[in-house]
Each structure stands twice: as structure tokens, then as C-alpha cells.
Amino acid sequence: MQFWYFLTALTLLSALMVVLSKNPIHSVLYLVFTFFCISGHYVLLNAQFLMAVNIIVYAGAIMVLFLFVIMMLDLRRNMPDSKSNLTKLAGAILGGTLLVILVAVMRKTQFPQFSQMGGKFDTQTGMVENLGQVLFRDYLLPFELVSILFFVAMVGAVMLGKREAGERNF
Amino acid sequence: MEIISTLFIAKAVFIVAVFAVTLGVAAYSTYFERKVAAFMQDRVGPDRAGPFGILQPLADAVKMFMKEDFIPTNSNKWLFIAGPCLSMLTALMTSAVVPFGDKLEIGGGATIDLQGIDVNIGILWVFGIVSLGVYGILIGGWASNNKYSLIGAIRAASQNISYELAMGMSIIAILMLSGSLSTKTIVEAQQNGHWNILYQPLGFLIFLVCAFAECNRTPFDLPECETELIGGYHTEYSSMKLGFYLFAEYINMFISGAVMATLYFGGYDYLGNSWVAEHWGENVATLIGVGALIGKALFFVFVFMWVRWTLPRFRYDQLMNLGWTILIPLAMFNVVLTGFSIISGWLMIVSWVGVALLLVAIIVYDSVTYKKKKVAVN
């Protein structure tokens, strides 16, 4: 429990630093660290598969590409003009709305009490075998639909990135 | 309580031993790299420090530590220091899930697994750490504030991302065979000579090529291509920071050798395993198994060196071409082939026949297109 508090504090701190740090590279590195902290939470919940996939997909692939793009663009030189007050206001309103929605959902949700579950729970729920059983038995159709969605997105990305005839990308 | 504390100490000793072996092998890999290079180029190689130059790694370490530690003025100081640290960290973390041996009986009826941790996501852990390995290079290259370093770092990043895909696909075929992500289960399924290399010839080839690319070894050492980039991502590094970068590369070589032995060459399995266990005792058999695994890993380290001093470096577009248009389709073909072999029940026959058919198809296609080209020229 104490470890949970420590990890949560670390997560919040690094997530704040993502927003607050001036250098975009530092922001990305703090974001990577935040993903690690979230993976730590997955381990505490005994969901090791989610932890590994979180690290591989987010920290290992997507964040590397983020870092890549920011390094290539060299934002220190091509810094966009500082944001106007209107943009700041719009951002604050949008973020606040999201916060309200999340809090409302949290309040609505009925978390099952420990006593309601017969006084015991399955520690193996988060293991990869059980996750696979659930995904490929109970949620097979949504899973396959999501995979088709991903496939469409992938084809779209390839189409966008394709070189037109006679165009030079470098 | 007594047994638990004994187990704790035994595990701690084992983990320290794994670190010591990894670092020792990495240090002596530098010596053997130069000896192998010398042998291939008909030279003598290092022979001054100690008999046969055996103390050369020690001398190199002293030299590295004694050199001036230089941090460029306009660099990002903390990230500049963090780069080599991250490289070493990610290089050393992978060995946690490699099963170095079977159970070892220690006094008091307690047995320990000769493995850091046996988690049920073992191979995903390896994959995740490999994908993190690029951060050390990327951060170090960017923090140097040098365009050659940056280009080297970006090359490394794009190369690693490209080859990870094919690597993951070749691992999927292994998972289809063993039905588990745990490295221990994968090794146990291969005991008594049922090594995965017999069922996965194409998968092993893909994995080997990807391992070369992930370790940034020749012929894929574009990130440190001297002729184009001075020194690549570590141009601005000196002293032991440079040493850590080079050291991490050798550790990666050894660990990827161990992973390849685990996945494809039966891990700690060796010929006559059960005979030794029967006649000389379980513990002796286990210890010989540890030796067998390390021997296999060292053989792969030698293969890495062998290829380095045999093949020239690729061009960058060739490297990307190989990764995206050849290895990934091959890996997909391998997954389909493994599926067919599992359904048919003749695992070995179907996988080898599939590879043979693929080769025939490629040769036929190649000869047909070659003739067309010839006609066009005439």
C-alpha cells in the first residue's frame, strides 16, 4: 500500500513535469517515465501482460517516434509564437470538461465490494492466458472489428506517406 | 524461515554471478574481437599485455578511466550523462529472464531455479527491453549537440524500430509452437534434442539478422558509420562514457546470443543430459547445462565477430529495403508455415519443405525476371 502511494505520487509528478517543462525533449522523456510508472501500477494489479505491452507499444515504439520527430524538427529554433490568451482559455475549458466527465464516471461506477465477491478474488485474472480466453471467447467480434479498424488506419498511413510520382521527399 | 533466507541468499548470489559472467564475457569479447580480426587478416593481434595479450581488456579499462572526461559546452549536460547510463541499464536488464540452468539443489532440501525471475511474460520482457535499448543512443546522440551524432542516433532509432517488427513476428512462430510466453517453458519444451531450430529454420535466420541489426553490428552498423558520420552517435563522447557505449554493445551481443540459444537451441539442453543426471547426480547435470548455455551464447558471439570481419557494411536504403520488404514478408510467411505445420502434425517435414518451396519459387521468379531484363537490353 505504501508502495502504491509512492508510485502514484511519482506518476503524478512526472505527468505534471510533461506539461510544465520548457524543453519538448524533456517533456517526451518525462512522458516515457510516466508510462513506466503506469506499468508499475499494472504490476501491482498483477497484470504483467498489460505491463509488458504498455512498455513495448508506448515507451518502446510510439515515444521513440515522438522523440525522433521532435529531434528532427529542432523545436528550439522553430519555436511557434507563444500562445495567445484565447488558446490558453480554450485549452483550460477543454481539459476541465474532460476532468468533469472523468469524475462523473468515477462517481457513477459501482465498484464491487470485497464482501460482495464472496470474500475472495482471483489473483490470476490479469495473466496472459485468462486475458486471451476473455478476448477470444467473450469479446471475439469487437476484437476482430478493432483489428480491421487498425488495418484501415495502417493502409491510410501508408497512402499518406507514399511518394507521389515525381515528388522528392528529401 | 530458514529455507526462505537460504533461498534469498542463493538467489542473490546467482544474480551477482550472472552479472559477473556477463560483464566478464563482455570485457573479454573486446579481446577476442581483436584476436578474431587479427586471425582473419593474417596478423598477430594484441600480444603485449601478459601472455598472448590476455591482460589487454584490463589495460584498455585503465586507459579508458585515465582519459580526460569531456562534456561539450553547448550540450545538454544531464542527458549527455544519462545516455551511456541508459545504454548499460537496458543492456544488463535482459538477462533477468534468461534461464541459465535447471533446478540446483542447495543444502537443506532447498532448490533454486537458475533463472533471475520466471515470469509468464518472459519473452515479452526481452522484447520490451530491446525496444527500450534505443533510448540510450537517441538521448546521447541528441544531447551531444552535434549534427553527426544526431544523424547517427536517428539512424539507430529508425533501424531498431524497423527490425523489431520482423523480430517480433519470428518470435510469434516460436510462441505458436510452445504455447507459452515463459522462457522457462520454451526451454523445457525443447529438452532431449527437440530444439526449435529443427522446426524453425526460417524463423531462426530472420531472428539472427534482426539480432545483428538490433545490436548495431556490422553489416548493420550504420549508426556509427565512420566514413559518413565521423563516429556516429558517440562522436562527442570520451573516456569511460564512450567505454560504456562500447561495453553495452558487447553485453548486448552476449545476451542476444543467450536469448537465441534459449529460443532456438534448447537453452541449457545438451547431448547425454539424462545419462549425466543418472550417473553423476542432478547438480552436476545442471551445472554442465549452465556451461552448455554459456557455450552456445559464446558461439553466437563468435558468429557476430565472424560476420563483422567477413561482410562489408550495407547502404542505408539497402538496410531499410531488407527490413521492410524482405524480412517482414518472410516472417509473415514463416508464421503461416508454422500454422500449417502444426495443423498437419508433421512439424519438421512441413517447415523444411516450406522453406525449400520458398527457395525454389524465389529462384524461378528470379530467373524469369532476369531473362526479361536481358531481352529488354537486347
Side-chain angles (χ1 to χ4, degrees):
Chain A
M1 204 60 183
Q2 279 143 8
F3 189 68
W4 185 83
Y5 279 117
F6 173 70
L7 201 58
T8 309
L10 211 60
T11 315
L12 289 178
L13 194 70
S14 57
L16 270 180
M17 288 306 288
V18 176
V19 191
L20 294 180
S21 52
K22 294 274 182 213
N23 191 333
I25 300 269
H26 289 171
S27 280
V28 172
L29 294 178
Y30 279 119
L31 194 54
V32 173
F33 191 69
T34 313
F35 283 130
F36 271 100
C37 294
I38 292 173
S39 287
H41 280 105
Y42 285 135
V43 172
L44 288 186
L45 293 170
N46 213 7
Q48 297 160 0
F49 179 72
L50 276 185
M51 163 259 181
V53 168
N54 190 37
I55 286 185
I56 293 172
V57 174
Y58 285 100
I62 295 180
M63 281 302 118
V64 171
L65 286 179
F66 266 47
L67 207 58
F68 198 94
V69 170
I70 290 175
M71 283 176 180
M72 286 289 263
L73 290 181
D74 193 10
L75 287 181
R76 267 189 301 184
R77 206 165 297 153
N78 314 321
M79 196 66 121
D81 302 331
S82 74
K83 321 269 187 305
S84 69
N85 280 336
L86 192 66
T87 12
K88 278 179 190 166
L89 192 69
I93 289 173
L94 272 179
T97 324
L98 193 63
L99 183 72
V100 168
I101 292 172
L102 282 178
V103 169
V105 168
M106 288 273 278
R107 284 176 64 84
K108 278 270 185 188
T109 313
Q110 300 276 330
F111 290 109
Q113 293 297 313
F114 187 59
S115 55
Q116 287 169 352
M117 294 163 65
K120 60 175 183 184
F121 50 72
D122 189 8
T123 52
Q124 303 297 307
T125 309
M127 295 293 164
V128 57
E129 290 87 0
N130 297 322
L131 193 70
Q133 297 283 353
V134 172
L135 268 186
F136 287 99
R137 189 167 290 157
D138 302 347
Y139 296 97
L140 183 60
L141 185 66
F143 184 77
E144 295 294 337
L145 288 180
V146 166
S147 74
I148 290 175
L149 198 64
F150 267 123
F151 186 65
V152 171
M154 204 165 79
V155 172
V158 171
M159 279 304 292
L160 285 178
K162 214 175 142 193
R163 210 175 295 175
E164 304 273 331
E167 184 196 353
R168 283 171 68 98
N169 278 1
F170 48 89
Chain B
M1 193 63 213
E2 187 64 29
I3 283 182
I4 289 175
S5 68
T6 323
L7 276 183
F8 181 78
I9 292 170
K11 203 70 155 183
V13 167
F14 168 70
I15 289 171
V16 170
V18 166
F19 269 100
V21 167
T22 313
L23 293 175
V25 166
Y28 268 88
S29 295
T30 59
Y31 167 72
F32 281 110
E33 170 104 58
R34 291 157 80 174
K35 274 290 183 194
V36 169
F39 175 74
M40 294 206 174
Q41 297 166 352
D42 206 10
R43 294 185 282 115
V44 179
D47 68 339
R48 295 286 134 175
F52 310 108
I54 203 97
L55 296 177
Q56 189 65 40
L58 218 63
D60 282 344
V62 170
K63 185 196 78 172
M64 282 289 190
F65 275 112
M66 291 298 168
K67 276 195 165 182
E68 186 192 355
D69 192 13
F70 185 75
I71 296 180
T73 322
N74 279 328
S75 67
N76 192 321
K77 194 178 167 211
W78 287 109
L79 291 183
F80 190 77
I81 297 171
C85 301
L86 280 175
S87 268
M88 280 296 274
L89 184 73
T90 48
L92 284 168
M93 270 162 81
T94 321
S95 58
V97 292
V98 174
F100 279 88
D102 210 353
K103 288 181 178 60
L104 191 68
E105 270 186 44
I106 48 176
T111 58
I112 65 161
D113 274 334
L114 290 183
Q115 184 180 13
I117 33 168
D118 181 21
V119 281
N120 66 350
I121 48 151
I123 199 65
L124 282 185
W125 169 267
V126 173
F127 199 58
I129 299 300
V130 165
S131 66
L132 292 180
V134 70
Y135 276 111
I137 294 174
L138 207 50
I139 288 172
W142 180 78
S144 305
N145 196 20
N146 175 331
K147 62 180 145 188
Y148 295 108
S149 298
L150 182 63
I151 293 172
I154 282 173
R155 278 186 173 188
S158 41
Q159 176 179 326
N160 277 30
I161 291 177
S162 310
Y163 279 79
E164 254 164 39
L165 294 172
M167 195 179 207
M169 296 274 232
S170 61
I171 291 176
I172 284 175
I174 291 279
L175 299 184
M176 288 166 74
L177 283 179
S178 65
S180 170
L181 290 167
S182 155
T183 43
K184 185 86 176 176
T185 316
I186 292 174
V187 169
E188 272 166 3
Q190 303 179 57
Q191 292 301 304
N192 301 322
H194 296 289
W195 293 1
N196 273 339
I197 177 76
L198 299 174
Y199 310 109
Q200 287 288 325
L202 188 59
F204 172 67
L205 200 66
I206 296 165
F207 194 92
L208 186 71
V209 174
C210 293
F212 275 100
E214 296 286 335
C215 292
N216 294 329
R217 291 287 295 183
T218 324
F220 302 105
D221 64 342
L222 274 296
E224 44 193 86
C225 176
E226 302 93 353
T227 41
E228 296 163 17
L229 293 177
I230 309 180
Y233 58 88
H234 51 56
T235 302
E236 296 284 353
Y237 280 90
S238 60
S239 182
M240 203 54 207
K241 290 204 194 73
L242 173 68
F244 276 145
Y245 268 129
L246 303 181
F247 213 60
E249 185 182 314
Y250 286 100
I251 294 173
N252 275 332
M253 274 162 63
F254 176 64
I255 297 293
S256 62
V259 169
M260 273 190 274
T262 304
L263 291 181
Y264 291 97
F265 285 84
Y268 46 78
D269 183 42
Y270 56 94
L271 207 65
N273 192 348
S274 49
W275 186 87
V276 172
E278 223 172 85
H279 288 77
W280 297 342
E282 292 280 348
N283 275 359
V284 178
T286 304
L287 288 178
I288 295 179
V290 175
L293 179 80
I294 292 177
K296 286 169 192 172
L298 288 181
F299 173 73
F300 281 114
V301 173
F302 171 70
V303 171
F304 272 97
M305 292 169 185
W306 188 8
V307 171
R308 172 167 181 182
W309 298 107
T310 310
L311 291 180
R313 183 182 289 140
F314 280 130
R315 232 171 41 222
Y316 200 69
D317 58 322
Q318 291 172 331
L319 170 108
M320 282 295 160
N321 230 352
L322 179 70
W324 287 97
T325 64
I326 298 180
L327 285 184
I328 291 177
L330 266 186
M332 282 182 184
F333 174 77
N334 189 40
V335 169
V336 174
L337 189 66
T338 313
F340 271 122
S341 70
I342 289 173
I343 290 171
S344 71
W346 303 315
L347 285 172
M348 207 189 294
I349 300 173
V350 171
S351 50
W352 283 96
V353 166
V355 174
L357 282 180
L358 181 74
L359 275 181
V360 169
I362 289 173
I363 291 169
V364 167
Y365 175 79
D366 213 45
S367 59
V368 168
T369 46
Y370 178 71
K371 264 175 201 156
K372 270 182 193 160
K373 270 180 206 159
K374 223 173 167 183
V375 169
V377 167
N378 287 338

